[in-house]
Amino acid sequence: MKKYPLLLVVFVCIQAGSYAQKLKIRLLSDLTLSRILFTPLAGDYKLRMDTCQISSENNPGVYQLTVEGDSVRVKSFEKDFGKCARVLFEAQLKEGSFKLKSIAPEIKVKVYDNDLEVRISQGGLKLINRVGIENYIAGVVESEAGSGSTSEYYKLQSILCRTYALSNIHKHEADSFNLCDLVHCQSYKGKSENTIILQAVFDTKGLVIVDDDMNLISATFHSNCGGQTVNSEDVWSLSASYLRSVKDTFCLHMPNAHWQKTIATSDWINYLSLKQKYPVDDSLSCRQALTFPQYNGRELYFASKEFKIPLKTIRSDWQLKSTYFSIRQLGDSIVLNGRGYGHGVGLCQEGAMHMARLGISYGDIINFYYTGVHLVDLAVLNFLKED
Ligand SMILES: [Zn+2]
Ligand SMILES: [Zn+2]
């Protein structure tokens, strides 16, 4: 894996550039919120409104924010601070964190790092967490990878999540934030308290994956490839030089390596005939439809040479865990014996977890799943782009 040690000297001054800025992450993106409670947890917060600027040190306690027409009204137990179009709770220290409780609708308390901006959008409170990128990455890693993984795997996941976040930083630009907190962008459920994750994020601070042209890669990943990953153009229309199919034996005994689904033969034949216009009346084609093999590697199409249905279409229609399945007959049913879980493009999470447990470094794991990529410090990347 290539690195750029000679340019290390320029890191510090460039680090103060775009990378140091906070990301704007929309919180509770799928809910229409009408009443929330904001409570400073660590550090002093400045409350900035059109009408006033106050410090939480002088006004400790809980702040209630409600919708009032096109404005946000802010109250504490003792005082009404008035209303305005935009409210900002700004942490005075970079370690600042706060509790967020939605009363209507009611959801359990969440904790976030750094600042909270509140506006009105479509009749509800629109919450934007202005958060340092490494704090955000730690929260995402915990949401995406859960607890119980190795430190090396968390380092790997940190680099993937950081690369994804920065390559998708304009995804919600039209809505005046960077990313939402749902799987549409990356799942983000708040501040991470997991010390192994926090250390892994710190140890890989600023590291991202780029292709030969020094562009951030689309760091796609999935749960389990079943033994072979997939070329990107076989799932999406886009062909990427680094998203190439690789054979993977590391995931073969992991939890999502195998699945099975039984379908009544009559339902299967009806589906093929009516929806796909497959020639079920032809005896050879019909036999092939009931005994479809994928034992020697992934296929793209089902089932005969003369008539092709993309396997990704069948996966979607039957909500299968993967396109990597074989079919056999059992009585008046067919049994799909499947391998893997997910689209199969890019990094196989369960394979990567097993590799990390075997002592393989995150750099080698990245090079195994992404073809011809480089791991670079973001500051170097900014420098090279500006040059
Ligand atoms: Zn999104
Ligand atoms: Zn795999």
Side-chain angles (χ1 to χ4, degrees):
M1 184 162 288
K2 289 181 192 170
K3 280 218 169 194
Y4 299 86
L6 293 176
L7 297 169
L8 279 165
V9 181
V10 300
F11 285 10
V12 177
C13 56
I14 295 158
Q15 196 88 27
S18 57
Y19 177 57
Q21 292 173 3
K22 287 175 180 164
L23 293 176
K24 294 182 179 180
I25 310 295
R26 181 160 185 189
L27 303 180
L28 310 177
S29 310
D30 53 344
L31 301 174
T32 302
L33 306 162
S34 55
R35 186 150 64 104
I36 63 160
L37 300 179
F38 173 94
T39 312
L41 202 59
D44 178 31
Y45 273 81
K46 278 253 176 340
L47 165 61
R48 298 184 188 278
M49 302 173 65
D50 302 339
T51 47
C52 63
Q53 270 195 36
I54 58 164
S55 164
S56 65
E57 272 186 346
N58 304 325
N59 296 273
V62 182
Y63 297 81
Q64 175 184 270
L65 288 80
T66 50
V67 178
E68 199 165 303
D70 292 333
S71 300
V72 183
R73 181 167 290 280
V74 183
K75 288 181 181 176
S76 67
F77 288 126
E78 297 87 23
K79 191 173 173 185
D80 185 343
F81 296 100
K83 60 178 184 175
C84 66
R86 173 179 168 272
V87 173
L88 177 64
F89 288 98
E90 193 172 39
Q92 299 305 290
L93 297 171
K94 68 178 174 35
E95 296 82 14
S97 62
F98 62 89
K99 281 198 295 188
L100 178 68
K101 167 82 178 157
S102 173
I103 304 295
E106 185 160 355
I107 60 165
K108 68 176 186 179
V109 173
K110 290 169 176 276
V111 176
Y112 295 93
D113 287 297
N114 308 135
D115 312 338
L116 181 71
E117 180 185 329
V118 185
R119 295 171 183 262
I120 300 293
S121 174
Q122 297 180 326
L125 299 169
K126 181 177 181 179
L127 311 183
I128 308 288
N129 185 196
R130 295 183 174 194
V131 58
I133 182 165
E134 302 300 340
N135 290 337
Y136 166 71
I137 295 302
V140 172
V141 168
E142 185 154 346
S143 295
E144 297 273 1
S147 55
S149 287
T150 60
S151 165
E152 198 68 12
Y153 183 76
Y154 286 136
K155 289 178 191 173
L156 167 69
Q157 191 76 48
S158 303
I159 295 167
L160 295 185
C161 294
R162 189 181 295 110
T163 303
Y164 180 91
L166 293 167
S167 62
N168 287 277
I169 204 159
H170 301 299
K171 199 162 180 176
H172 286 283
E173 197 169 51
D175 305 313
S176 63
F177 57 95
N178 299 120
L179 299 158
C180 71
D181 62 348
L182 308 175
V183 289
H184 172 259
C185 289
Q186 299 191 110
S187 176
Y188 171 57
K189 295 172 185 162
K191 179 181 176 65
S192 175
E193 304 281 5
N194 183 317
T195 53
I196 302 173
I197 291 177
L198 293 169
Q199 187 63 45
V201 172
F202 180 79
D203 289 345
T204 61
K205 185 178 178 185
L207 289 182
V208 290
I209 311 169
V210 295
D211 63 13
D212 270 338
D213 297 326
M214 298 302 282
N215 291 314
L216 291 165
I217 71 163
S218 177
T220 59
F221 56 88
H222 55 276
S223 175
N224 187 311
C225 73
Q228 184 184 356
T229 69
V230 183
N231 293 322
S232 58
E233 65 272 21
D234 294 338
V235 176
W236 307 300
S237 54
L238 196 72
S239 173
S241 62
Y242 49 86
L243 296 174
R244 299 297 89 203
S245 175
V246 296
K247 297 274 187 184
D248 176 12
T249 56
F250 294 103
C251 61
L252 295 181
H253 302 290
M254 297 296 279
N256 285 321
H258 299 281
W259 56 269
Q260 196 171 76
K261 186 181 179 85
T262 302
I263 300 171
T265 305
S266 56
D267 290 347
W268 181 242
I269 293 294
N270 281 341
Y271 162 77
L272 292 175
S273 173
L274 299 176
K275 187 153 186 193
Q276 302 296 346
K277 311 300 180 199
Y278 184 88
V280 293
D281 294 334
D282 175 68
S283 57
L284 177 62
S285 296
C286 189
R287 193 167 70 245
Q288 286 175 325
L290 302 176
T291 56
F292 174 66
Q294 279 194 90
Y295 300 120
N296 298 317
R298 284 181 178 266
E299 301 285 346
L300 292 180
Y301 296 97
F302 176 93
S304 67
K305 283 195 171 63
E306 294 74 30
F307 194 93
K308 292 182 173 180
I309 307 169
L311 285 167
K312 62 183 180 183
T313 302
I314 295 176
R315 181 189 177 210
S316 169
D317 288 346
W318 291 88
Q319 298 187 330
L320 306 176
K321 287 188 173 177
S322 70
T323 59
Y324 199 3
F325 60 86
S326 299
I327 298 177
R328 63 185 168 88
Q329 271 186 288
L330 186 68
D332 54 6
S333 297
I334 58 160
V335 178
L336 281 63
N337 286 307
R339 302 173 63 172
Y341 193 174
H343 52 61
V345 181
L347 181 135
C348 167
Q349 278 183 301
E350 290 192 343
M353 280 178 193
H354 189 54
M355 290 172 89
R357 269 187 223 124
L358 293 173
I360 299 171
S361 72
Y362 63 79
D364 287 343
I365 298 172
I366 288 168
N367 265 344
F368 179 75
Y369 288 110
Y370 301 112
T371 305
V373 297
H374 316 284
L375 192 58
V376 298
D377 190 298
L378 192 70
V380 173
L381 187 64
N382 286 345
F383 172 76
L384 292 173
K385 291 276 180 188
E386 287 163 11
D387 201 25

